[in-house]
Amino acid sequence: DHTEEIMPIIYTPTVGAACLQYGLLYRRPHGMYISIEDKGFIRDILDNWYQPEVKIIVVTDGERILGLGDLGALGMGIPVGKLDLYTALAGIPPDQCLPLLLDVGTNNKALLEEAHYNGIKQTRAPREEYDALVDEFMAAVADKWGPQTLVQFEDFGNSNAFRVLEKYHNRYCCFNDDIQGTASVAVAGVFSAMRMMGAKLADQRFLFLGAGEAGTGIGDLLVAALVEQGVSLEDARAKCWYVDSKGLVVKSRIKELQHHKLAYAHDAEFCSSFLDAIHRLKPTAIIGVSAQPKAFDQAVIEALCQYTERPLIFALSNPTSKCEVSASDAYTWSKGKCVYASGSPYPAVTYDGRTFVPGQGNNAYIFPGVGLGVIVAGARRVTNDMFLEAARALAKYVSQEQFDKGCIYPPLSEIREVSVE
C-alpha cells in the first residue's frame, strides 16, 4: 500500500549501499550460495532448500552489481531485493522465490583482503570452470523443480551475460533482466515520449553512452520495434549509435570490438568524446548506461539542444551516485525542453514556473509482470517479443495527467496494476 515509499528502500538506491556493506550487515542467511567448489553436488545442494516448491530464481554471480562493479558474494542483496519486489508488486508468494548467488570468486582485491568478506577468497574462476558450474546449475534447477522454473540472471559481467543468455534462452525458461528488462522499460519510456510529443519513432536518432548489457539490449529492442513499423533492419540499426570507453563505435574499430557491439559498428569517422559525437551525429535522444556520474554535463546537454527542440535524456545508471545527470541539471541546462528519465528516483523539479516530475525507468515496472505472466502461463521459454509487448503495455498505461507533468512513466503507486496488465 506504500509502494512509492518502500521502493527506494527495498531496491535502488538503498540496495547498492547494502551490497557494499553486506559482509558487515550479515546476520543470517538470505537465499542460497553455491560456490565453484560445489561442482558435482549442485543437485544435492538444491535438495537442502527448505521450501518444496520454487517458481522463480533470481541468480547473480556478483560480477557487476549495479554500477558498483565486482562485489562477489556481497551481491546477494540484489537477488533478495528483486524477489521482494516480485512478491510486493506481482503477488508471487515468497516461499516460491529463491535468491541464489553463484560464488565463483572475485577480482576485487579489496574484498579479498577484507576480514568480513563472506565469499570464497580467490580470483574469479576461469571460463571453462565457470561454464561447467552454470551448466550444472541450470540442469539441476530444471531437474529439481521442473523445466517451467523461471531463472532470472541478474548483474552478470558483460563477458558472461551475453554468452549465458545466448546459450540458455532456447534451452531453459530464463531471461537476463539487465539486458532484456532494462531494454523493455527504456523502450517503454521512448514509446511514451513519442505519444507525449506526437512524434514518430522512425524519426529519432539515439546516441548511447555505454555499450554493455543495458545499452545494446535497449538498442536491440528499439531495432525490433522499428522493424515492426516497417523500417529495414539496416536502417533501424543506423538509428542507434554508441560511445564506449574508447569512443564512438565504428567499423574502423571492428577488430577490437566485443561481439555484442558489432551490429552497431557503423561506417563513420571515429571520435573519442561523447560531446564530439553529439556534434557529429545530431541525435534526438541520449541514453546513459555507463555508470559514469555527471557524464552528461552542461556542455553535453546544451549541445544536444542545438539539434533538437525536445531532446530525450535518459540517465539510467544506478545507483544515484552513478547517474549521468540529475533531473535538476537536465531540466535547467535544457531550459525545461527535455523529456527526462532516470534509473533511480529524483524529486520534482521547478523550472521557469513549471514543475516537472522526473520519470523513473525502473525495471520493476517490467520484470515482476513478465515473471508473473510466465508463471501463470506455465511457459517454458521467455522471448524478446514478450519484452516488446511489455514495453507497449507500460507505455499505454501513462495518463495525460502524467504527461502534463513531463513524466513518461505511471506513478509507482500503480505498479501492481501495471504488472497485471
Side-chain angles (χ1 to χ4, degrees), residues 192 195-197 310 331 336 338-339 349 351 353-358 398-409:
S192 183
R195 278 182 56 213
M196 183 169 70
M197 298 188 298
R310 197 83 189 275
Y331 289 121
C338 74
V339 177
V349 175
Y351 177 84
R354 183 182 176 188
T355 298
F356 297 90
V357 175
V398 185
S399 67
Q400 185 60 47
E401 182 182 358
Q402 290 298 99
F403 287 161
D404 292 342
K405 302 174 184 176
C407 187
I408 54 175
Y409 292 102

Side-chain angles (χ1 to χ4, degrees), residues 384-400:
N384 282 329
D385 287 344
M386 293 179 183
F387 289 96
L388 188 55
E389 191 58 37
R392 291 195 192 96
L394 175 56
K396 290 177 182 177
Y397 213 86
V398 185
S399 67
Q400 185 60 47

Side-chain angles (χ1 to χ4, degrees), residues 373-388:
V374 168
I375 290 170
V376 170
R380 296 193 177 192
R381 300 292 181 269
V382 183
T383 68
N384 282 329
D385 287 344
M386 293 179 183
F387 289 96
L388 188 55

Side-chain angles (χ1 to χ4, degrees), residues 100-400:
L100 195 142
L101 187 133
L102 297 176
D103 188 356
V104 295
T106 177
N107 292 337
N108 187 326
K109 292 182 180 179
L111 291 181
L112 293 175
E113 297 170 359
E114 169 59 53
H116 297 287
Y117 178 61
N118 63 333
I120 58 173
K121 292 192 175 183
Q122 67 171 55
T123 56
R124 288 191 168 268
R127 176 174 291 191
E128 185 176 343
E129 292 183 36
Y130 179 96
D131 287 352
L133 182 78
V134 179
D135 270 340
E136 184 182 346
F137 165 70
M138 294 299 290
V141 167
D143 183 65
K144 168 70 175 173
W145 290 297
Q148 76 288 344
T149 307
L150 177 59
V151 176
Q152 175 175 322
F153 300 115
E154 194 71 40
D155 287 0
F156 283 59
N158 286 343
S159 60
N160 290 316
F162 292 100
R163 290 191 314 107
V164 168
L165 181 61
E166 180 65 26
K167 185 174 184 178
Y168 297 117
H169 79 282
N170 283 324
R171 294 169 54 191
Y172 297 102
C173 185
C174 64
F175 72 95
N176 184 301
D177 187 48
D178 304 296
I179 298 172
Q180 296 163 289
T182 299
S184 187
V185 76
V187 170
V190 173
F191 286 163
S192 183
M194 296 300 100
R195 278 182 56 213
M196 183 169 70
M197 298 188 298
K200 295 181 179 180
L201 182 62
D203 294 335
Q204 309 307 307
R205 176 174 285 188
F206 301 90
L207 178 60
F208 293 79
L209 182 61
E213 301 163 50
T216 53
I218 296 168
D220 289 347
L221 205 61
L222 282 171
V223 167
L226 285 162
V227 169
E228 277 200 356
Q229 294 181 8
V231 179
S232 70
L233 178 61
E234 182 179 1
D235 288 345
R237 285 175 173 167
K239 295 183 180 297
C240 297
W241 294 75
Y242 290 83
V243 172
D244 64 11
S245 59
K246 295 182 179 179
L248 190 63
V249 174
V250 291
K251 281 189 176 179
S252 62
R253 297 179 53 203
I254 204 159
K255 290 183 179 180
E256 69 182 43
L257 293 175
Q258 293 171 288
H259 183 266
H260 63 272
K261 302 179 187 181
L262 295 179
Y264 300 102
H266 302 306
D267 191 6
E269 186 178 345
F270 173 78
C271 61
S272 59
S273 79
F274 192 74
L275 182 59
D276 287 345
I278 287 178
H279 287 302
R280 182 85 54 80
L281 300 170
K282 301 177 176 59
T284 60
I286 57 174
I287 299 178
V289 281
S290 65
Q292 296 181 33
K294 302 181 180 179
F296 293 171
D297 59 18
Q298 186 170 356
V300 164
I301 303 301
E302 290 179 349
L304 176 66
C305 291
Q306 291 179 31
Y307 304 111
T308 180
E309 181 63 27
R310 197 83 189 275
L312 273 62
I313 301 174
F314 287 10
L316 301 180
S317 293
N318 287 318
T320 310
S321 61
K322 300 294 183 179
C323 185
E324 287 81 7
V325 64
S326 69
S328 177
D329 285 343
Y331 289 121
T332 300
W333 293 336
S334 69
K335 296 181 169 54
K337 296 178 180 178
C338 74
V339 177
Y340 176 86
S342 59
S344 291
Y346 278 102
V349 175
T350 299
Y351 177 84
D352 196 25
R354 183 182 176 188
T355 298
F356 297 90
V357 175
Q360 185 188 354
N362 193 316
N363 291 22
Y365 282 115
I366 298 295
F367 69 81
V370 170
L372 177 63
V374 168
I375 290 170
V376 170
R380 296 193 177 192
R381 300 292 181 269
V382 183
T383 68
N384 282 329
D385 287 344
M386 293 179 183
F387 289 96
L388 188 55
E389 191 58 37
R392 291 195 192 96
L394 175 56
K396 290 177 182 177
Y397 213 86
V398 185
S399 67
Q400 185 60 47

